[in-house]
Amino acid sequence: MIPRLTISPLQWMRSPYGVLDGALASGYTTFTTRLPVMGSCLVTGDPVLIGEISRNPDLIGGRGTEALRPVVGEHSLIALEGERHRVHRSVLLPHFFSGNAETIDRVNRKWADALIPQIGMHEVFNAGEFLSRITLHAIIELIFGDLPEQRHNEAFQLIEAWKSSFSQAAVLFLKILHVDLGRISPWGRFLINRSQVHDFIRRQLREVRRAPDGSVFSRIAHAMPEHGAPLSDDEIVSETVTFLLFGHDTTAASLAWALTHLLADGSASERARAEVSTAGESAPPEALPFLRSAIEESMRLCPVVVHLTRHAVAATQVGSHAVLRDTRVLPCMYLAHRNPQVFDRPNAFVADRFLANSSRYRHAYFPFGLGDRVCAGMPMALRQMVLLLACLLRHGRFELVEPAKIRPVRKLVIIVPSGGPMLRRVDR
Ligand code: HEM
């Protein structure tokens, strides 16, 4: 019999990790509950049930993201379902990430080399914000190519301004605030900033339609899917926004957690520094297996996305549990990743855990999601995190400022370390 838990909506919004720790402490990796926005849900970290969920055609993705529609629009991969979702993936993914590892490495190195040396000796800085600047510059260049400096900076500033207009989750999630009074209202500012980002993308679209420039964006603008209609302008705008926004803060936050775990573990830090120095300055991510393992282990302990959301389009069954139509099923990374039946010492940071073959964690480890909706940016994010971590470690030594005070906090839909975390550069 699956237990039913009562969860305070406020506690869930503030700290889902805390709530899930409570469930684990009671021995529950699967339970039913009611959650804010989602209503009645089955939540599970059991790999057998998660495997079942990922194969069940009546449990679909896409509908769990309504609150993000004002940001990404109706035509985003994260919102689409069925045939149109498949067409978009087939058009977008080959252009984004296959066969362009060199470009991903070159662009990330370029921005790391430009920004990391600006961190002064003894400077205290918010690592999450700092990394988010690097990853935003990188994703702009990876999508639009090597734009003239002024145009690149315009994109950067428009996106930062738009993001700051919904940094308070209430602006997006409280419909009562959706009143457009121009610049004097939060919603008005959100709409104005959004239309400026859209205008930038549409301008860029007109240019690459007139004169293709070989960039990812240009290739997508001219792409013809094997089946179905090509992407319309609205669809391209929606997808570009999705990749720009979801393609940088998630990576920055995951890397911020990796720094938090690594810097709190002296011997793992030294091992990481030794690997970086032996591999040399231009080493590709493949030459840094310990760094990659430490990052994967950090994503196990602190997945920035806590759970996936699957919607039952028909009454169905998960294990012995009957799932009613129009209810939600949440494969939960946090529960799965700390499942004591799968992981030894589930709450410890074991930096080299993923050096050994990690395929035994099938359906028990999925920080990037599952099945036909698995994160479209996963190959790039993994390369990028290893590379940026190596650039940081090569640049100097860092320490956590007040490590005992760092706790998981919500930043819209992801969980980040409080304060960024704050780091201090201490030595060469
Ligand atoms: C460490 C960084 C990242 C993490 C932890 C992460 C995590 C996730 C997760 C959990 C999902 C949901 C998958 C599912 O429902 O099964 C997802 C979807 C997605 N991610 Fe990421 N992501 C990261 C980086 C990126 C990057 C760099 C990009 C783009 C450049 C990106 C673009 C997307 C897109 C477009 C989707 C929707 C896929 C679909 O529904 O077809 N993500 N991501």
Side-chain angles (χ1 to χ4, degrees):
M1 179 74 182
I2 293 177
R4 182 159 185 90
L5 301 190
T6 305
I7 292 177
S8 130
L10 202 64
Q11 222 186 334
W12 177 257
M13 289 311 285
R14 271 206 201 123
S15 169
Y17 284 7
V19 170
L20 295 165
D21 282 336
L24 286 165
S26 307
Y28 304 142
T29 44
T30 302
F31 58 86
T32 60
T33 190
R34 274 196 84 76
L35 288 175
V37 186
M38 282 179 286
S40 197
C41 311
L42 171 69
V43 184
T44 183
D46 176 338
V48 175
L49 298 187
I50 289 166
E52 260 186 47
I53 295 165
S54 73
R55 292 185 295 272
N56 186 331
D58 292 329
L59 295 172
I60 65 162
R63 290 191 205 175
T65 56
E66 285 88 355
L68 294 172
R69 298 293 154 87
V71 179
V72 295
E74 297 299 318
H75 307 291
S76 158
L77 273 182
I78 70 164
L80 291 171
E81 294 171 14
E83 183 55 19
R84 214 51 203 151
H85 178 252
R86 269 190 295 281
V87 169
H88 276 226
R89 276 187 83 99
S90 76
V91 168
L92 296 167
L93 266 60
H95 294 292
F96 261 101
F97 305 117
S98 56
N100 65 358
E102 265 175 45
T103 313
I104 292 171
D105 294 357
R106 178 180 51 74
V107 169
N108 278 294
R109 242 186 256 282
K110 168 181 159 182
W111 287 104
D113 289 347
L115 297 181
I116 293 175
Q118 293 176 13
I119 307 170
M121 188 60 76
H122 307 302
E123 183 177 333
V124 171
F125 63 101
N126 179 317
E129 283 177 6
F130 178 76
L131 291 166
S132 163
R133 279 202 294 282
I134 299 186
T135 54
L136 178 53
H137 278 300
I139 192 74
I140 291 172
E141 183 161 343
L142 284 165
I143 292 179
F144 295 117
D146 192 8
L147 294 173
E149 191 179 338
Q150 193 196 357
R151 200 119 174 79
H152 176 100
N153 288 341
E154 184 189 347
F156 183 90
Q157 277 149 18
L158 290 174
I159 294 165
E160 286 278 279
W162 184 26
K163 272 169 60 184
S164 69
S165 65
F166 59 97
S167 58
Q168 295 299 322
V171 175
L172 280 188
F173 299 152
L174 282 187
K175 287 238 161 84
I176 197 168
L177 293 180
H178 292 190
V179 182
D180 179 10
L181 301 174
R183 283 235 168 258
I184 57 164
S185 60
W187 189 242
R189 283 195 293 281
F190 171 88
L191 294 177
I192 291 168
N193 290 334
R194 182 178 71 181
S195 73
Q196 288 177 341
V197 171
H198 285 193
D199 288 349
F200 179 95
I201 297 170
R202 284 182 196 281
R203 226 182 327 145
Q204 205 58 28
L205 191 52
R206 282 193 297 276
E207 280 179 28
V208 298
R209 283 253 163 80
R210 195 173 35 79
D213 63 9
S215 64
V216 165
F217 185 70
S218 173
R219 281 185 274 139
I220 286 168
H222 292 274
M224 290 298 294
E226 255 181 48
H227 307 287
L231 268 55
S232 68
D233 287 7
D234 286 348
E235 288 176 308
I236 290 175
V237 170
S238 197
E239 294 294 17
T240 307
V241 164
T242 304
F243 278 78
L244 284 169
L245 293 186
F246 287 82
H248 79 283
D249 264 346
T250 38
T251 318
S254 299
L255 195 46
W257 275 121
L259 278 166
T260 308
H261 290 119
L262 204 57
L263 296 178
D265 179 335
S267 64
S269 279
E270 285 316 309
R271 190 165 167 193
R273 292 179 68 81
E275 184 176 78
V276 167
S277 102
T278 311
E281 208 154 299
S282 50
E286 290 79 3
L288 300 161
F290 179 73
L291 256 58
R292 161 106 179 212
S293 171
I295 288 168
E296 289 184 297
E297 172 69 346
S298 171
M299 287 196 289
R300 182 185 72 79
L301 280 176
C302 295
V304 296
V305 180
V306 176
H307 62 79
L308 307 175
T309 306
R310 300 296 188 248
H311 183 101
V313 288
T316 186
Q317 192 84 16
V318 173
S320 61
H321 184 76
V323 175
L324 298 178
R325 190 184 155 173
D326 287 332
T327 57
R328 301 276 163 91
V329 172
L330 313 186
C332 178
M333 288 83 148
Y334 192 87
L335 290 176
H337 293 183
R338 293 185 184 235
N339 187 339
Q341 283 169 357
V342 178
F343 295 99
D344 293 337
R345 296 199 288 143
N347 296 323
F349 176 69
V350 182
D352 60 2
R353 192 190 297 266
F354 285 82
L355 274 182
N357 179 8
S358 57
S359 59
R360 65 180 186 273
Y361 301 136
R362 191 168 156 73
H363 296 138
Y365 178 76
F366 51 100
F368 291 99
L370 287 169
D372 61 359
R373 301 200 78 100
V374 73
C375 173
M378 178 172 74
M380 157 169 154
L382 283 168
R383 291 199 81 78
Q384 186 174 31
M385 286 189 288
V386 175
L387 208 123
L388 295 182
L389 182 56
C391 290
L392 269 171
L393 296 180
R394 199 172 294 118
H395 179 67
R397 283 182 186 274
F398 299 92
E399 67 181 18
L400 296 165
V401 176
E402 301 196 282
K405 290 194 178 161
I406 299 171
R407 56 185 209 294
V409 291
R410 188 184 279 278
K411 184 178 168 196
L412 281 184
V413 289
I414 59 176
I415 306 300
V416 301
S418 59
M422 297 304 287
L423 296 190
R424 182 184 294 109
R425 185 177 157 203
V426 285
D427 199 358
R428 271 223 150 261

